[in-house]
């Protein structure tokens, strides 16, 4: 079993839709949770990070963490064609030297 | 702030030659830099972690003699793929951080093709 599981998609939605992206994890030691966006042939770009259960909002993006269920989500409201990219969840443990464990990534396509 | 520059963005080399990829943090001093490899439609696989002035820590299964990492300063790390073979063709990405557990900044990646 992988430490971090993420549905690879692809996920296709119409413009304006609410998008829900999810990851589950098995290692209860994970303390930091991040979402990255990666455009084709580019490096990942940090969207959001959090370290506590609950919700964190940033504009159209909401990151949600449920440590009891070992489940994290990223919601995108009013999705735009420019949101089309691969979204990767990532997690880290404080005493592992900052090593990130990534999910497989979900490929999202927002159609105009 | 927090910009990481990686180059070259793409390189084609002949089998048996060596290729060097540079990763620079432009506006901050990176305590730690990481090197990843990514295959098409797959996630990032951590290859090694490097700290300035010390030897890199390689992940299990990564050949340290093939993938040489040098972290000469707080703003520069290099990955050298030695005696490259076609199976080394991949997308290599570096990241740097001054915050240990989050806030990583990634370079734009290097697409290596070995022919």
């Amino acid at each position: 079993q992988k430490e971090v599981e993420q549905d690879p998609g692809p996920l296709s939605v119409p413009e304006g839709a609410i998008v829900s992206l999810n990851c589950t994890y098995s290692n209860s030691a994970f303390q930091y949770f991040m979402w990255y966006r990666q455009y084709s042939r580019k490096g990942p770009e940090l969207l959001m990070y959090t370290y506590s259960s609950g919700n964190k909002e940033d504009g159209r993006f909401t990151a949600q963490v449920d440590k009891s269920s070992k489940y994290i989500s990223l919601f995108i409201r009013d999705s735009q064609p420019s949101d089309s990219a691969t979204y990767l969840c990532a997690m880290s443990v404080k005493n592992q030297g900052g090593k990130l464990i990534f999910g497989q990534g979900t490929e999202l396509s927002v159609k105009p | 702030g927090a910009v990481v520059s990686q180059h070259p963005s793409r390189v084609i080399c002949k089998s048996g030659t060596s290729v060097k990829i540079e990763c620079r943090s432009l506006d901050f001093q990176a305590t730690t830099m990481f090197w990843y490899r990514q295959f098409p439609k797959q996630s990032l696989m951590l290859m090694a972690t490097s700290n300035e002035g010390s030897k890199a820590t390689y992940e299990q299964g990564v050949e340290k003699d093939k993938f040489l990492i040098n972290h000469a300063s707080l703003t520069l790390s290099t990955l050298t793929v030695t005696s490259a073979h076609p199976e080394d063709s991949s997308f290599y990405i570096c990241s740097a951080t001054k915050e240990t557990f989050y806030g990583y900044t990634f370079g734009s990646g290097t697409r290596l093709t070995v022919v």
Side-chain angles (χ1 to χ4, degrees):
Chain A
Q1 182 189 9
K2 292 180 182 178
E3 280 191 284
V4 180
E5 299 271 6
Q6 182 177 6
D7 186 342
L11 181 62
S12 181
V13 301
E15 183 176 354
I18 296 175
V19 176
S20 172
L21 304 166
N22 311 294
C23 288
T24 59
Y25 61 96
S26 57
N27 186 351
S28 57
F30 284 135
Q31 296 169 292
Y32 297 87
F33 305 90
M34 287 144 276
W35 285 96
Y36 284 86
R37 177 174 61 195
Q38 185 177 26
Y39 292 110
S40 182
R41 300 173 187 266
K42 297 291 184 184
E45 166 195 12
L46 179 66
L47 282 176
M48 300 184 72
Y49 73 88
T50 184
Y51 48 84
S52 57
S53 282
N55 294 350
K56 182 178 181 180
E57 264 191 47
D58 185 1
R60 295 186 294 113
F61 299 91
T62 299
Q64 186 177 78
V65 173
D66 182 345
K67 289 188 177 182
S68 62
S69 302
K70 298 191 183 69
Y71 188 89
I72 71 169
S73 299
L74 178 71
F75 298 97
I76 307 174
R77 290 184 297 280
D78 187 25
S79 56
Q80 302 295 309
S82 58
D83 295 327
S84 298
T86 296
Y87 290 80
L88 299 129
C89 64
M91 307 179 189
S92 67
V93 179
K94 193 171 183 177
N95 63 359
Q96 286 189 357
K99 184 166 74 171
L100 290 184
I101 306 298
F102 281 89
Q104 188 176 350
T106 300
E107 186 179 348
L108 171 67
S109 176
V110 181
K111 304 293 187 185
Chain B
V3 177
V4 173
S5 172
Q6 183 176 343
H7 72 92
S9 58
R10 60 182 70 183
V11 58
I12 301 173
C13 71
K14 291 186 177 180
S15 188
T17 61
S18 295
V19 173
K20 181 184 283 189
I21 303 169
E22 286 192 354
C23 180
R24 292 181 185 271
S25 56
L26 296 186
D27 51 1
F28 67 101
Q29 292 186 324
T31 52
T32 308
M33 289 187 172
F34 303 87
W35 288 95
Y36 293 84
R37 186 173 179 176
Q38 187 177 32
F39 291 103
K41 295 193 181 294
Q42 293 192 27
S43 191
L44 282 74
M45 182 190 78
L46 180 66
M47 300 174 65
T49 303
S50 78
N51 293 289
E52 183 263 342
S54 61
K55 289 185 178 180
T57 302
Y58 290 81
E59 294 298 301
Q60 192 173 9
V62 177
E63 298 176 62
K64 59 182 68 176
D65 294 331
K66 167 168 270 301
F67 299 101
L68 299 179
I69 292 172
N70 183 274
H71 195 154
S73 74
L74 283 171
T75 59
L76 174 64
S77 177
T78 60
L79 167 67
T80 301
V81 183
T82 62
S83 187
H85 289 95
E87 57 265 30
D88 298 325
S89 298
S90 189
F91 193 54
Y92 293 88
I93 310 174
C94 70
S95 75
T97 182
K98 56 179 180 178
E99 307 287 344
T100 310
F101 315 117
Y102 55 88
Y104 301 80
T105 302
F106 283 80
S108 55
T110 297
R111 180 150 316 273
L112 170 64
T113 304
V114 184
V115 297

